[in-house]
Amino acid sequence: MARDDGEHEGPAPRGRPLSTETERAILDATTELLAERGLAAMTIEEVAARAHVGKASVYRRWPSKGTLAFDAFVTDFLDRQPVPDTGDLRADLLELLRGWTRVVRRPATGRTLKGLIAEVQRDPELAGGWRERFIAPMRASHMAVLERAIARGQLAPGANTGLIMDLLYGPAYHRLLHGHLPLNGAFVEDVVAAVMAAIEAGAL
Amino acid sequence: MARDDGEHEGPAPRGRPLSTETERAILDATTELLAERGLAAMTIEEVAARAHVGKASVYRRWPSKGTLAFDAFVTDFLDRQPVPDTGDLRADLLELLRGWTRVVRRPATGRTLKGLIAEVQRDPELAGGWRERFIAPMRASHMAVLERAIARGQLAPGANTGLIMDLLYGPAYHRLLHGHLPLNGAFVEDVVAAVMAAIEAGAL
Amino acid sequence: MARDDGEHEGPAPRGRPLSTETERAILDATTELLAERGLAAMTIEEVAARAHVGKASVYRRWPSKGTLAFDAFVTDFLDRQPVPDTGDLRADLLELLRGWTRVVRRPATGRTLKGLIAEVQRDPELAGGWRERFIAPMRASHMAVLERAIARGQLAPGANTGLIMDLLYGPAYHRLLHGHLPLNGAFVEDVVAAVMAAIEAGAL
Amino acid sequence: MARDDGEHEGPAPRGRPLSTETERAILDATTELLAERGLAAMTIEEVAARAHVGKASVYRRWPSKGTLAFDAFVTDFLDRQPVPDTGDLRADLLELLRGWTRVVRRPATGRTLKGLIAEVQRDPELAGGWRERFIAPMRASHMAVLERAIARGQLAPGANTGLIMDLLYGPAYHRLLHGHLPLNGAFVEDVVAAVMAAIEAGAL
DNA sequence: TCGTAACCGAGACGGTACGTCTGGTCTTTTT
DNA sequence: AAAAAGACCAGACGTACCGTCTCGGTTACGA
């Protein structure tokens, strides 16, 4: 989202390189503040002060509050997502959605995820990175699950995989953002049951 | 979100009453600015200037940008939602979701809805009003559709109606907010087909 | 300063007459607030609230904070000024200046007088009334003292009476406003001694 | 009034130092607006806009409108005051008072001086600075004149110098603030004549 | 080994919008 | 028609952050 991490050389990196210590301090301060107050109430001034760092050192690395919060949040979040491969589609889907709700039910994590989704709506610059570095990896990981199911013959080769994933995660994000109903175990099981029923009926 | 509109008298309304003209001017200016720039880029100063109104007259009625935008948006949006009663559940669900996507695909409306959902995540004060005055009326209207289906025998009396609605609208909000896939007619038909399949399989 | 108090009829007093009770309540509240916080920190809103009176009832009578404070202050102040007639110029001048300093040393009075002088500098509308209803009566009363001295032969008929009064009161207001030196009894005696010396030397 | 200008080092000036250009721009804009509208009608917003400067840059240096106006006014005003040394007390006093009236009769200067005196009455914070940085330097300069007169034997060593200065300037400020009589050449000569008469009679 | 480019923390810069306050006026109902 | 109450428009207040720039100083390359 922030740096390009181009791996093919570059022309020649003159001058003092960016300090990894400074970067760590900024990300740690961001994580703390995200947990303490949430993204909306966090300011870059406060991040810099907390990290004992100049504001310019933050802006040198991240162009906006959203990209910074994104970097502080996303690796950790993605690492916590399960990558199930039980040999059974229903079990895999259950594990996927259970893993997601487990992580998201932690107050700081759920709040930050909601805050980031909010920020993405407000900042078009952020939206591209969000799709590429959050939505896309999530979906890629999910697609692998579905492709294994196709390979096993549990899912038709022409199945509408995009929609299956939206039927699985859409209701979950819906409840996360609007809070009208709980994100509990029963919810997970019912969603998976419905999706599996639709798949088995050939509707997906 | 702002006023309680209690209709049983009150003790005696002393002093000059709030002017409905002023209120209209503020809401109209808000609607215009919401369409022109979106919620995030709209400022209360600009609303007041556009409405030829003092800032205090805005703050007297609405405590925050979110509540103001909410009031300017929500009545109109809810009025545009279909209230289908075709006698057939599948047809009703199709009309519900088609009506929603039709309204939400209008750029100004979609943008404002996304902005409001974002704002709700940032302002806990707003969240209660949002659930009560937006989410709840929407769901009540949807529930009526499902209850008619139960009365007709097209849906089991113990059906998980909350989940049915989340399976219908969850994927739609998901695509609206993340933009990873389109909100077109095929999407609507496929979602309804999947939900109907799950219902008919007894999974909901 | 505020009302014209025209004593020759007026055209015909239609409608409800201004309530003297209301006027008293406003003036009393003004006097209190003047003593509590000073003129600068007093607001018309606060006066109206304290007097249990609408703001319009204040503005109906007085066009500005200055005129209101003036009316609350000036009668009382002028009433407290001595009108000496001892038969001796020196003794009369001593009593004049002593009377003035005695009143002005009371903290609330001194503060209000300073505040009114300040207000007069800021509000040109007030300046005329100030000269006519405060400065002029004061000077008229002083002139009577000097004229009696002329009649007695203690002062030359062509004496520069305006300057004599400025030499008497100028230093006093100077110390009141700038606070660089005290307004005590020695000051009064020394000023009068100097002025009398100048008079006796024929310089005034 | 604003900065302490301590000249002995300080511990180490971290961060970007205050820009003298910005300070000049603010003071110049203040001087202009003081002349155009007077202190009471001047706003800090307008000063900032006129100086092409953020409001924070004004507030960083001066806590109030009064201190800002003071700094913009006082150096210039003091520089315009005469420092007479003719060898004759009467001539020195004449030059002092003539210089003061000459400067104060310029409309912008007189209005600003009146406005500042008014402001000093309204803002106790300002009063200390006013005495230290305006009243005290003026009086110090005047005292030098009187001390030279003492050294020359034109004034008794125990003369009440404070009172002499109040007799000279008190009437002048009195007429400036109340406008009841003019500040012309005759006034200056008459005041000096009276003060000299009192001195020569041994009354001061 | 030295020059220099880019970094560092600190904090001022020009801006914008905030939410509050007061001024003076206007609009209610009540007396 | 004047009363009390309080909303009206207007706009300055002082604060908080924004994202950029400047300061004195440091670090690590490459000439």
Side-chain angles (χ1 to χ4, degrees):
Chain A
M1 182 127 286
R3 282 79 20 79
D4 56 330
D5 296 330
E7 23 231 71
H8 39 284
E9 300 305 306
R14 305 255 299 189
R16 179 176 176 176
L18 290 166
S19 153
T20 54
E21 259 181 82
T22 298
E23 173 162 337
R24 250 319 352 124
I26 295 170
L27 287 172
D28 289 350
T30 302
T31 302
E32 281 177 43
L33 286 166
L34 242 20
E36 283 174 29
R37 325 197 194 306
L39 175 53
M42 178 183 100
T43 68
I44 296 221
E45 298 228 314
E46 206 176 10
V47 169
R50 174 82 62 113
H52 305 294
V53 140
K55 283 204 286 175
S57 294
V58 179
Y59 282 108
R60 210 172 279 125
R61 293 171 169 80
W62 293 277
S64 67
K65 184 166 77 166
T67 51
L68 168 57
F70 181 95
D71 277 0
F73 173 79
V74 96
T75 308
D76 180 65
F77 184 86
L78 293 181
D79 284 354
R80 289 178 197 278
Q81 294 303 305
V83 188
D85 187 8
T86 60
D88 179 58
L89 176 57
R90 178 184 305 267
D92 281 0
L93 295 185
L94 271 171
E95 194 175 333
L96 276 180
L97 201 51
R98 266 203 195 105
W100 188 89
T101 55
R102 194 185 313 121
V103 174
V104 145
R105 267 206 304 255
R106 297 152 51 112
T109 307
R111 184 148 56 115
T112 300
L113 179 54
K114 293 198 288 182
L116 272 168
I117 293 171
E119 200 65 22
V120 165
Q121 312 309 314
R122 305 164 53 89
D123 178 359
E125 312 273 322
L126 194 51
W130 177 255
R131 273 197 297 275
E132 285 162 32
R133 299 208 15 237
F134 183 77
I135 299 296
M138 285 282 280
R139 293 185 75 83
S141 158
H142 302 159
M143 283 311 161
V145 168
L146 296 187
E147 270 154 25
R148 283 195 290 275
I150 291 172
R152 285 193 303 265
Q154 292 178 332
L155 193 59
N160 191 341
T161 51
L163 189 60
I164 291 173
M165 284 307 146
D166 286 345
L167 280 165
L168 204 67
Y169 283 94
Y173 278 98
H174 199 42
R175 291 194 175 186
L176 173 69
L177 293 172
H178 296 132
H180 55 290
L181 286 171
L183 276 168
N184 53 21
F187 164 77
V188 169
E189 283 153 29
D190 292 348
V191 167
V192 171
V195 170
M196 286 305 299
I199 289 172
E200 282 158 8
L204 281 169
Chain B
M1 186 127 281
R3 283 79 12 79
D4 58 329
D5 298 327
E7 28 227 70
H8 39 285
E9 299 303 308
R14 307 256 289 185
R16 180 175 175 175
L18 290 167
S19 154
T20 53
E21 261 181 81
T22 297
E23 174 160 337
R24 262 283 35 100
I26 295 170
L27 287 173
D28 289 350
T30 302
T31 302
E32 280 176 42
L33 286 167
L34 242 20
E36 283 174 30
R37 320 200 194 306
L39 175 54
M42 177 182 100
T43 69
I44 294 211
E45 299 226 314
E46 206 175 9
V47 169
R50 174 84 60 115
H52 304 295
V53 141
K55 284 203 283 175
S57 293
V58 179
Y59 282 108
R60 206 174 281 123
R61 293 172 168 79
W62 295 278
S64 67
K65 186 165 74 167
T67 51
L68 169 57
F70 180 94
D71 277 359
F73 174 79
V74 121
T75 308
D76 180 64
F77 184 86
L78 293 181
D79 285 353
R80 291 179 195 279
Q81 294 303 305
V83 188
D85 187 8
T86 61
D88 179 58
L89 177 56
R90 177 184 306 266
D92 281 0
L93 295 186
L94 271 171
E95 194 175 333
L96 276 181
L97 202 51
R98 264 200 198 109
W100 188 89
T101 55
R102 193 185 315 120
V103 174
V104 146
R105 267 205 306 255
R106 296 152 52 111
T109 307
R111 186 150 54 114
T112 301
L113 179 54
K114 292 199 287 182
L116 272 168
I117 293 171
E119 200 64 23
V120 165
Q121 312 310 315
R122 305 164 52 89
D123 178 0
E125 311 274 324
L126 196 51
W130 178 253
R131 272 196 297 276
E132 285 163 34
R133 299 214 6 243
F134 182 77
I135 299 296
M138 285 281 282
R139 294 185 76 82
S141 158
H142 302 159
M143 283 312 162
V145 168
L146 297 187
E147 270 154 26
R148 284 194 289 274
I150 292 172
R152 285 192 305 266
Q154 292 178 333
L155 193 60
N160 191 341
T161 52
L163 189 61
I164 291 172
M165 284 306 145
D166 286 346
L167 281 164
L168 204 66
Y169 284 92
Y173 278 98
H174 200 42
R175 290 195 175 185
L176 173 70
L177 293 172
H178 295 131
H180 55 290
L181 285 171
L183 275 168
N184 51 22
F187 165 76
V188 170
E189 282 153 29
D190 291 349
V191 167
V192 172
V195 169
M196 285 305 299
I199 288 172
E200 283 158 6
L204 282 169
Chain C
M1 179 129 285
R3 283 79 19 79
D4 55 329
D5 295 330
E7 19 231 74
H8 39 285
E9 301 305 307
R14 306 250 300 188
R16 180 173 171 180
L18 291 168
S19 153
T20 53
E21 259 180 82
T22 298
E23 173 161 337
R24 253 312 0 121
I26 295 169
L27 287 172
D28 289 350
T30 302
T31 303
E32 280 176 43
L33 287 167
L34 243 20
E36 283 174 30
R37 327 198 193 306
L39 175 54
M42 178 183 100
T43 67
I44 296 223
E45 299 227 314
E46 207 176 8
V47 169
R50 173 84 62 113
H52 305 295
V53 140
K55 281 204 288 175
S57 294
V58 179
Y59 281 107
R60 207 173 283 124
R61 293 172 168 80
W62 293 278
S64 67
K65 184 166 76 167
T67 51
L68 169 58
F70 182 95
D71 277 359
F73 173 80
V74 96
T75 308
D76 180 65
F77 184 86
L78 293 180
D79 284 353
R80 290 178 195 278
Q81 294 303 305
V83 187
D85 188 7
T86 61
D88 179 58
L89 177 57
R90 177 183 306 267
D92 281 0
L93 295 186
L94 271 171
E95 195 175 332
L96 277 180
L97 201 50
R98 266 202 195 106
W100 188 90
T101 55
R102 195 184 314 119
V103 175
V104 146
R105 268 205 304 255
R106 297 152 50 113
T109 307
R111 185 150 54 115
T112 300
L113 179 55
K114 293 199 287 182
L116 272 167
I117 292 170
E119 200 64 23
V120 164
Q121 312 310 314
R122 305 164 53 89
D123 178 0
E125 312 273 323
L126 195 52
W130 177 254
R131 274 197 297 275
E132 285 162 33
R133 300 211 12 239
F134 183 77
I135 299 295
M138 286 282 281
R139 294 184 76 82
S141 158
H142 302 158
M143 282 312 162
V145 168
L146 296 187
E147 270 154 26
R148 283 194 290 275
I150 292 173
R152 285 191 304 265
Q154 291 178 332
L155 193 59
N160 191 341
T161 52
L163 189 60
I164 292 174
M165 283 307 147
D166 286 346
L167 281 165
L168 205 67
Y169 284 94
Y173 279 98
H174 199 42
R175 291 196 175 186
L176 173 69
L177 293 172
H178 296 131
H180 55 290
L181 286 171
L183 276 168
N184 52 21
F187 165 77
V188 170
E189 284 153 28
D190 291 349
V191 166
V192 171
V195 170
M196 286 306 299
I199 288 171
E200 283 158 8
L204 281 170
Chain D
M1 184 128 283
R3 283 79 12 83
D4 58 331
D5 297 329
E7 27 228 69
H8 38 284
E9 298 304 307
R14 307 255 288 185
R16 179 174 175 174
L18 290 167
S19 154
T20 53
E21 261 181 81
T22 297
E23 174 160 336
R24 262 283 34 102
I26 295 170
L27 288 173
D28 289 349
T30 302
T31 302
E32 281 176 42
L33 287 167
L34 241 20
E36 283 174 30
R37 321 199 194 305
L39 175 54
M42 177 183 101
T43 68
I44 294 210
E45 297 226 317
E46 206 175 8
V47 169
R50 175 84 61 113
H52 305 294
V53 141
K55 281 203 285 175
S57 294
V58 179
Y59 283 109
R60 208 173 280 124
R61 292 173 168 79
W62 293 278
S64 67
K65 186 165 75 168
T67 51
L68 169 57
F70 181 95
D71 277 0
F73 173 80
V74 121
T75 309
D76 179 65
F77 184 87
L78 293 181
D79 284 353
R80 291 179 194 278
Q81 295 302 304
V83 188
D85 188 7
T86 61
D88 179 58
L89 178 56
R90 177 183 305 267
D92 281 0
L93 295 186
L94 271 171
E95 194 176 333
L96 277 180
L97 201 51
R98 265 201 196 107
W100 188 89
T101 55
R102 193 185 313 121
V103 174
V104 147
R105 267 205 306 253
R106 296 153 52 111
T109 308
R111 185 150 53 114
T112 300
L113 179 54
K114 292 199 287 182
L116 272 168
I117 292 170
E119 200 64 24
V120 165
Q121 312 310 315
R122 305 163 53 88
D123 179 0
E125 311 273 323
L126 195 51
W130 177 254
R131 273 197 296 276
E132 284 162 33
R133 299 213 7 242
F134 182 78
I135 299 296
M138 286 283 280
R139 295 185 75 82
S141 158
H142 302 158
M143 283 310 163
V145 168
L146 298 187
E147 269 154 25
R148 284 195 289 274
I150 293 173
R152 285 192 304 265
Q154 291 178 334
L155 193 60
N160 191 341
T161 52
L163 189 62
I164 291 173
M165 283 306 146
D166 286 346
L167 281 165
L168 204 67
Y169 284 95
Y173 278 100
H174 200 43
R175 291 195 175 185
L176 173 70
L177 292 172
H178 295 132
H180 55 291
L181 286 171
L183 275 168
N184 52 21
F187 164 78
V188 170
E189 283 154 29
D190 292 349
V191 167
V192 172
V195 170
M196 286 305 300
I199 289 172
E200 284 159 7
L204 281 168

